[in-house]
Amino acid sequence: MMKRSSVATFSPKHSCHYGIRSISLPTRSHPSTVRIEEVLNKLKSWETSSSSKVETICFGLSGLVELYKCVEDLLNLSLTQQALSHHQNEKWVDELLDCPVRFLDILGETRDAIMLMKGNVGELQSALRRRKVGDLVIESHVSAYWSLRRSTRKACTKSMLLLKQIEGSFGASPPLELNHHLCAVVRVLREASLITSSIFQSLVAYLSSPIFKSKLNKWAFVSRLVQKGVLESNNQQENINELEKVDLALCRMVMVNPSKDFEAEKIQSAHKELEAVVVVMEGLENGLDCLFKHLINTRVSFLNILSP
């Protein structure tokens, strides 16, 4: 019987339209925030900008890099620095200061999970090159892979909850007497945090993809695949992502079959899907590495403004 892990309470198959909330501040663009607003508008359409889930996430991460470059430029303006420095220790300012730190924590944990996944997949690939299907060493590596998938899902559940908390953290309202420039700064910084949370949610949802696992006879396994539709359309598996494709390839590989030709085919299929996952993990890792630097710079810029 094939089972799907029930650790997480969400699924990447659901639409990831998390929704960017509107901020109750003046909406007329200020010259100093026009560029950020252009990037924000582009990011708000990121969910429909690509046909592939992974491509969409990578587009979102690259967009966030561009966004935080603009945030750095905005925070380095003397006009912004003077305005924010007059409101040190106010709750709404602390909320803005806290967001980059919370995103950095989640980014670091997510990047660590991706690196672990890459290492685990590499070990599994090496085992497949050296051994035959049915070898206990291969089964051990397959079990280790599924164990890592389970632990990743648990970590992603925690990250998702933290991201939801960030979305609801903007409780304090800035004073009504703020000048037009500072109102515009607060609005775009809050919107930047909300779109960052949305893209991160999509990323952790992808990494927590449901786990496919086969334990009993192959006919029960095939029956479940037919129900999901992955054996249709010339076996294109168009409705599952790269992680789920690896699960299915490994399930097929560990099923007992006396045919030597089928054994070689299963190993080749598993190699192909594992290589695809490596490419995906490297793309996500590169995107997070670039974003990490700019979140650090944003945090430092805030501290330079607000430090006594």
mmCIF file of all heavy atoms in Angstrom, residues 236-268:
data_model
loop_
_atom_site.group_PDB
_atom_site.id
_atom_site.type_symbol
_atom_site.label_atom_id
_atom_site.label_comp_id
_atom_site.label_asym_id
_atom_site.label_seq_id
_atom_site.Cartn_x
_atom_site.Cartn_y
_atom_site.Cartn_z
ATOM 1 N N GLN A 236 3.780 11.165 -18.368
ATOM 2 C CA GLN A 236 4.483 12.433 -18.264
ATOM 3 C C GLN A 236 4.538 12.946 -16.824
ATOM 4 O O GLN A 236 5.355 13.794 -16.502
ATOM 5 C CB GLN A 236 3.795 13.482 -19.153
ATOM 6 C CG GLN A 236 3.966 13.223 -20.636
ATOM 7 C CD GLN A 236 5.407 13.261 -21.064
ATOM 8 O OE1 GLN A 236 6.127 14.213 -20.778
ATOM 9 N NE2 GLN A 236 5.861 12.227 -21.746
ATOM 10 N N GLN A 237 3.672 12.460 -15.966
ATOM 11 C CA GLN A 237 3.663 12.871 -14.554
ATOM 12 C C GLN A 237 3.608 14.395 -14.433
ATOM 13 O O GLN A 237 4.311 15.015 -13.649
ATOM 14 C CB GLN A 237 4.897 12.342 -13.836
ATOM 15 C CG GLN A 237 5.040 10.835 -13.878
ATOM 16 C CD GLN A 237 6.282 10.347 -13.148
ATOM 17 O OE1 GLN A 237 7.033 11.135 -12.591
ATOM 18 N NE2 GLN A 237 6.494 9.060 -13.167
ATOM 19 N N GLU A 238 2.721 14.996 -15.214
ATOM 20 C CA GLU A 238 2.687 16.448 -15.267
ATOM 21 C C GLU A 238 2.087 17.077 -14.011
ATOM 22 O O GLU A 238 2.284 18.270 -13.777
ATOM 23 C CB GLU A 238 1.895 16.891 -16.503
ATOM 24 C CG GLU A 238 2.560 16.487 -17.812
ATOM 25 C CD GLU A 238 1.707 16.824 -19.020
ATOM 26 O OE1 GLU A 238 0.533 17.182 -18.802
ATOM 27 O OE2 GLU A 238 2.201 16.718 -20.134
ATOM 28 N N ASN A 239 1.369 16.300 -13.234
ATOM 29 C CA ASN A 239 0.682 16.898 -12.088
ATOM 30 C C ASN A 239 1.395 16.651 -10.771
ATOM 31 O O ASN A 239 0.801 16.793 -9.706
ATOM 32 C CB ASN A 239 -0.760 16.370 -12.011
ATOM 33 C CG ASN A 239 -0.806 14.862 -11.842
ATOM 34 O OD1 ASN A 239 0.122 14.161 -12.241
ATOM 35 N ND2 ASN A 239 -1.884 14.354 -11.268
ATOM 36 N N ILE A 240 2.657 16.266 -10.808
ATOM 37 C CA ILE A 240 3.437 16.127 -9.580
ATOM 38 C C ILE A 240 4.773 16.840 -9.757
ATOM 39 O O ILE A 240 5.249 17.033 -10.877
ATOM 40 C CB ILE A 240 3.669 14.647 -9.193
ATOM 41 C CG1 ILE A 240 4.430 13.913 -10.291
ATOM 42 C CG2 ILE A 240 2.351 13.962 -8.879
ATOM 43 C CD1 ILE A 240 4.774 12.482 -9.925
ATOM 44 N N ASN A 241 5.381 17.250 -8.639
ATOM 45 C CA ASN A 241 6.624 18.004 -8.753
ATOM 46 C C ASN A 241 7.846 17.086 -8.684
ATOM 47 O O ASN A 241 7.729 15.864 -8.588
ATOM 48 C CB ASN A 241 6.684 19.104 -7.682
ATOM 49 C CG ASN A 241 6.774 18.540 -6.277
ATOM 50 O OD1 ASN A 241 7.392 17.515 -6.029
ATOM 51 N ND2 ASN A 241 6.157 19.238 -5.322
ATOM 52 N N GLU A 242 9.026 17.703 -8.700
ATOM 53 C CA GLU A 242 10.271 16.935 -8.792
ATOM 54 C C GLU A 242 10.494 16.025 -7.591
ATOM 55 O O GLU A 242 10.990 14.898 -7.739
ATOM 56 C CB GLU A 242 11.458 17.892 -8.953
ATOM 57 C CG GLU A 242 11.520 18.608 -10.274
ATOM 58 C CD GLU A 242 10.589 19.816 -10.358
ATOM 59 O OE1 GLU A 242 9.932 20.131 -9.333
ATOM 60 O OE2 GLU A 242 10.519 20.434 -11.440
ATOM 61 N N LEU A 243 10.174 16.493 -6.400
ATOM 62 C CA LEU A 243 10.360 15.663 -5.204
ATOM 63 C C LEU A 243 9.448 14.444 -5.233
ATOM 64 O O LEU A 243 9.854 13.323 -4.886
ATOM 65 C CB LEU A 243 10.096 16.490 -3.947
ATOM 66 C CG LEU A 243 11.107 17.603 -3.662
ATOM 67 C CD1 LEU A 243 10.638 18.448 -2.485
ATOM 68 C CD2 LEU A 243 12.487 17.032 -3.378
ATOM 69 N N GLU A 244 8.207 14.649 -5.661
ATOM 70 C CA GLU A 244 7.263 13.539 -5.743
ATOM 71 C C GLU A 244 7.664 12.556 -6.843
ATOM 72 O O GLU A 244 7.466 11.343 -6.714
ATOM 73 C CB GLU A 244 5.857 14.079 -5.985
ATOM 74 C CG GLU A 244 5.316 14.866 -4.801
ATOM 75 C CD GLU A 244 4.023 15.605 -5.124
ATOM 76 O OE1 GLU A 244 3.899 16.151 -6.235
ATOM 77 O OE2 GLU A 244 3.136 15.626 -4.253
ATOM 78 N N LYS A 245 8.255 13.059 -7.924
ATOM 79 C CA LYS A 245 8.724 12.169 -8.985
ATOM 80 C C LYS A 245 9.848 11.265 -8.490
ATOM 81 O O LYS A 245 9.940 10.093 -8.865
ATOM 82 C CB LYS A 245 9.194 12.983 -10.192
ATOM 83 C CG LYS A 245 8.062 13.632 -10.977
ATOM 84 C CD LYS A 245 8.595 14.456 -12.141
ATOM 85 C CE LYS A 245 7.467 15.126 -12.905
ATOM 86 N NZ LYS A 245 7.942 15.950 -14.023
ATOM 87 N N VAL A 246 10.721 11.802 -7.643
ATOM 88 C CA VAL A 246 11.771 10.968 -7.052
ATOM 89 C C VAL A 246 11.153 9.885 -6.174
ATOM 90 O O VAL A 246 11.551 8.713 -6.230
ATOM 91 C CB VAL A 246 12.752 11.823 -6.217
ATOM 92 C CG1 VAL A 246 13.636 10.934 -5.347
ATOM 93 C CG2 VAL A 246 13.621 12.674 -7.133
ATOM 94 N N ASP A 247 10.175 10.280 -5.358
ATOM 95 C CA ASP A 247 9.495 9.281 -4.516
ATOM 96 C C ASP A 247 8.943 8.134 -5.355
ATOM 97 O O ASP A 247 9.119 6.958 -5.029
ATOM 98 C CB ASP A 247 8.338 9.935 -3.744
ATOM 99 C CG ASP A 247 8.806 10.893 -2.665
ATOM 100 O OD1 ASP A 247 9.992 10.829 -2.301
ATOM 101 O OD2 ASP A 247 7.995 11.699 -2.199
ATOM 102 N N LEU A 248 8.270 8.471 -6.445
ATOM 103 C CA LEU A 248 7.666 7.446 -7.288
ATOM 104 C C LEU A 248 8.719 6.579 -7.960
ATOM 105 O O LEU A 248 8.559 5.353 -8.060
ATOM 106 C CB LEU A 248 6.766 8.102 -8.341
ATOM 107 C CG LEU A 248 5.559 8.868 -7.794
ATOM 108 C CD1 LEU A 248 4.774 9.514 -8.930
ATOM 109 C CD2 LEU A 248 4.649 7.954 -6.995
ATOM 110 N N ALA A 249 9.812 7.197 -8.414
ATOM 111 C CA ALA A 249 10.884 6.422 -9.046
ATOM 112 C C ALA A 249 11.518 5.463 -8.052
ATOM 113 O O ALA A 249 11.827 4.309 -8.390
ATOM 114 C CB ALA A 249 11.948 7.365 -9.623
ATOM 115 N N LEU A 250 11.690 5.904 -6.809
ATOM 116 C CA LEU A 250 12.266 5.030 -5.786
ATOM 117 C C LEU A 250 11.300 3.911 -5.408
ATOM 118 O O LEU A 250 11.717 2.775 -5.157
ATOM 119 C CB LEU A 250 12.645 5.854 -4.546
ATOM 120 C CG LEU A 250 13.753 6.887 -4.743
ATOM 121 C CD1 LEU A 250 14.010 7.646 -3.446
ATOM 122 C CD2 LEU A 250 15.034 6.230 -5.242
ATOM 123 N N CYS A 251 10.002 4.240 -5.358
ATOM 124 C CA CYS A 251 9.007 3.212 -5.060
ATOM 125 C C CYS A 251 9.036 2.122 -6.132
ATOM 126 O O CYS A 251 9.011 0.921 -5.819
ATOM 127 C CB CYS A 251 7.609 3.831 -4.989
ATOM 128 S SG CYS A 251 7.291 4.804 -3.510
ATOM 129 N N ARG A 252 9.082 2.526 -7.375
ATOM 130 C CA ARG A 252 9.129 1.547 -8.463
ATOM 131 C C ARG A 252 10.412 0.712 -8.385
ATOM 132 O O ARG A 252 10.420 -0.478 -8.676
ATOM 133 C CB ARG A 252 9.065 2.259 -9.815
ATOM 134 C CG ARG A 252 7.724 2.923 -10.126
ATOM 135 C CD ARG A 252 7.702 3.411 -11.566
ATOM 136 N NE ARG A 252 6.433 4.022 -11.917
ATOM 137 C CZ ARG A 252 6.230 5.321 -12.025
ATOM 138 N NH1 ARG A 252 7.227 6.165 -11.792
ATOM 139 N NH2 ARG A 252 5.049 5.796 -12.364
ATOM 140 N N MET A 253 11.486 1.371 -7.994
ATOM 141 C CA MET A 253 12.773 0.698 -7.967
ATOM 142 C C MET A 253 12.833 -0.401 -6.911
ATOM 143 O O MET A 253 13.427 -1.457 -7.126
ATOM 144 C CB MET A 253 13.881 1.712 -7.702
ATOM 145 C CG MET A 253 15.289 1.184 -7.907
ATOM 146 S SD MET A 253 16.519 2.465 -7.578
ATOM 147 C CE MET A 253 16.334 2.684 -5.810
ATOM 148 N N VAL A 254 12.222 -0.164 -5.750
ATOM 149 C CA VAL A 254 12.314 -1.144 -4.664
ATOM 150 C C VAL A 254 11.278 -2.248 -4.778
ATOM 151 O O VAL A 254 11.326 -3.225 -4.029
ATOM 152 C CB VAL A 254 12.168 -0.450 -3.290
ATOM 153 C CG1 VAL A 254 13.284 0.545 -3.069
ATOM 154 C CG2 VAL A 254 10.812 0.226 -3.146
ATOM 155 N N MET A 255 10.318 -2.108 -5.742
ATOM 156 C CA MET A 255 9.365 -3.187 -5.956
ATOM 157 C C MET A 255 10.065 -4.372 -6.608
ATOM 158 O O MET A 255 10.871 -4.209 -7.526
ATOM 159 C CB MET A 255 8.204 -2.721 -6.846
ATOM 160 C CG MET A 255 7.250 -1.778 -6.169
ATOM 161 S SD MET A 255 5.753 -1.479 -7.159
ATOM 162 C CE MET A 255 6.441 -0.799 -8.644
ATOM 163 N N VAL A 256 9.779 -5.576 -6.130
ATOM 164 C CA VAL A 256 10.422 -6.783 -6.645
ATOM 165 C C VAL A 256 9.925 -7.086 -8.049
ATOM 166 O O VAL A 256 8.725 -7.112 -8.314
ATOM 167 C CB VAL A 256 10.145 -7.993 -5.725
ATOM 168 C CG1 VAL A 256 10.765 -9.248 -6.318
ATOM 169 C CG2 VAL A 256 10.694 -7.711 -4.332
ATOM 170 N N ASN A 257 10.883 -7.295 -8.980
ATOM 171 C CA ASN A 257 10.544 -7.688 -10.344
ATOM 172 C C ASN A 257 11.692 -8.526 -10.890
ATOM 173 O O ASN A 257 12.852 -8.093 -10.838
ATOM 174 C CB ASN A 257 10.306 -6.456 -11.226
ATOM 175 C CG ASN A 257 9.706 -6.822 -12.581
ATOM 176 O OD1 ASN A 257 10.313 -7.528 -13.365
ATOM 177 N ND2 ASN A 257 8.498 -6.331 -12.823
ATOM 178 N N PRO A 258 11.428 -9.724 -11.392
ATOM 179 C CA PRO A 258 12.499 -10.626 -11.822
ATOM 180 C C PRO A 258 13.193 -10.180 -13.105
ATOM 181 O O PRO A 258 14.265 -10.686 -13.429
ATOM 182 C CB PRO A 258 11.759 -11.955 -12.044
ATOM 183 C CG PRO A 258 10.358 -11.551 -12.382
ATOM 184 C CD PRO A 258 10.096 -10.337 -11.564
ATOM 185 N N SER A 259 12.647 -9.256 -13.846
ATOM 186 C CA SER A 259 13.204 -8.869 -15.141
ATOM 187 C C SER A 259 14.447 -8.008 -14.960
ATOM 188 O O SER A 259 14.419 -6.970 -14.314
ATOM 189 C CB SER A 259 12.161 -8.100 -15.955
ATOM 190 O OG SER A 259 12.755 -7.518 -17.087
ATOM 191 N N LYS A 260 15.575 -8.443 -15.545
ATOM 192 C CA LYS A 260 16.807 -7.675 -15.475
ATOM 193 C C LYS A 260 16.687 -6.365 -16.259
ATOM 194 O O LYS A 260 17.234 -5.341 -15.864
ATOM 195 C CB LYS A 260 17.968 -8.495 -16.034
ATOM 196 C CG LYS A 260 18.317 -9.722 -15.194
ATOM 197 C CD LYS A 260 18.817 -9.311 -13.824
ATOM 198 C CE LYS A 260 19.233 -10.534 -13.007
ATOM 199 N NZ LYS A 260 19.710 -10.151 -11.651
ATOM 200 N N ASP A 261 15.963 -6.426 -17.388
ATOM 201 C CA ASP A 261 15.769 -5.210 -18.182
ATOM 202 C C ASP A 261 14.998 -4.169 -17.388
ATOM 203 O O ASP A 261 15.320 -2.975 -17.423
ATOM 204 C CB ASP A 261 15.026 -5.539 -19.483
ATOM 205 C CG ASP A 261 15.873 -6.362 -20.440
ATOM 206 O OD1 ASP A 261 17.113 -6.315 -20.314
ATOM 207 O OD2 ASP A 261 15.294 -7.044 -21.299
ATOM 208 N N PHE A 262 13.974 -4.643 -16.665
ATOM 209 C CA PHE A 262 13.169 -3.718 -15.867
ATOM 210 C C PHE A 262 14.008 -3.135 -14.733
ATOM 211 O O PHE A 262 13.864 -1.974 -14.366
ATOM 212 C CB PHE A 262 11.943 -4.433 -15.314
ATOM 213 C CG PHE A 262 10.977 -3.516 -14.608
ATOM 214 C CD1 PHE A 262 10.399 -2.444 -15.271
ATOM 215 C CD2 PHE A 262 10.659 -3.719 -13.273
ATOM 216 C CE1 PHE A 262 9.509 -1.593 -14.618
ATOM 217 C CE2 PHE A 262 9.784 -2.879 -12.614
ATOM 218 C CZ PHE A 262 9.203 -1.811 -13.296
ATOM 219 N N GLU A 263 14.910 -3.937 -14.177
ATOM 220 C CA GLU A 263 15.784 -3.469 -13.105
ATOM 221 C C GLU A 263 16.665 -2.326 -13.591
ATOM 222 O O GLU A 263 16.799 -1.294 -12.922
ATOM 223 C CB GLU A 263 16.655 -4.625 -12.612
ATOM 224 C CG GLU A 263 17.631 -4.229 -11.517
ATOM 225 C CD GLU A 263 18.445 -5.414 -11.050
ATOM 226 O OE1 GLU A 263 17.864 -6.335 -10.452
ATOM 227 O OE2 GLU A 263 19.659 -5.413 -11.288
ATOM 228 N N ALA A 264 17.259 -2.485 -14.756
ATOM 229 C CA ALA A 264 18.105 -1.431 -15.321
ATOM 230 C C ALA A 264 17.290 -0.180 -15.623
ATOM 231 O O ALA A 264 17.743 0.950 -15.403
ATOM 232 C CB ALA A 264 18.787 -1.938 -16.590
ATOM 233 N N GLU A 265 16.069 -0.382 -16.111
ATOM 234 C CA GLU A 265 15.194 0.751 -16.427
ATOM 235 C C GLU A 265 14.834 1.526 -15.174
ATOM 236 O O GLU A 265 14.792 2.768 -15.179
ATOM 237 C CB GLU A 265 13.928 0.230 -17.113
ATOM 238 C CG GLU A 265 12.938 1.323 -17.480
ATOM 239 C CD GLU A 265 11.659 0.766 -18.074
ATOM 240 O OE1 GLU A 265 11.699 -0.347 -18.642
ATOM 241 O OE2 GLU A 265 10.618 1.430 -17.956
ATOM 242 N N LYS A 266 14.583 0.802 -14.082
ATOM 243 C CA LYS A 266 14.220 1.461 -12.831
ATOM 244 C C LYS A 266 15.383 2.296 -12.292
ATOM 245 O O LYS A 266 15.185 3.412 -11.799
ATOM 246 C CB LYS A 266 13.790 0.419 -11.796
ATOM 247 C CG LYS A 266 12.451 -0.241 -12.097
ATOM 248 C CD LYS A 266 11.970 -1.085 -10.946
ATOM 249 C CE LYS A 266 12.864 -2.291 -10.682
ATOM 250 N NZ LYS A 266 12.323 -3.162 -9.620
ATOM 251 N N ILE A 267 16.602 1.754 -12.377
ATOM 252 C CA ILE A 267 17.772 2.489 -11.908
ATOM 253 C C ILE A 267 17.985 3.739 -12.743
ATOM 254 O O ILE A 267 18.259 4.828 -12.225
ATOM 255 C CB ILE A 267 19.022 1.588 -11.943
ATOM 256 C CG1 ILE A 267 18.905 0.470 -10.898
ATOM 257 C CG2 ILE A 267 20.284 2.421 -11.687
ATOM 258 C CD1 ILE A 267 20.072 -0.481 -10.889
ATOM 259 N N GLN A 268 17.837 3.607 -14.058
ATOM 260 C CA GLN A 268 18.000 4.753 -14.947
ATOM 261 C C GLN A 268 16.956 5.825 -14.659
ATOM 262 O O GLN A 268 17.264 7.026 -14.649
ATOM 263 C CB GLN A 268 17.898 4.293 -16.398
ATOM 264 C CG GLN A 268 18.134 5.406 -17.418
ATOM 265 C CD GLN A 268 18.049 4.902 -18.852
ATOM 266 O OE1 GLN A 268 17.742 3.745 -19.104
ATOM 267 N NE2 GLN A 268 18.326 5.783 -19.800
#
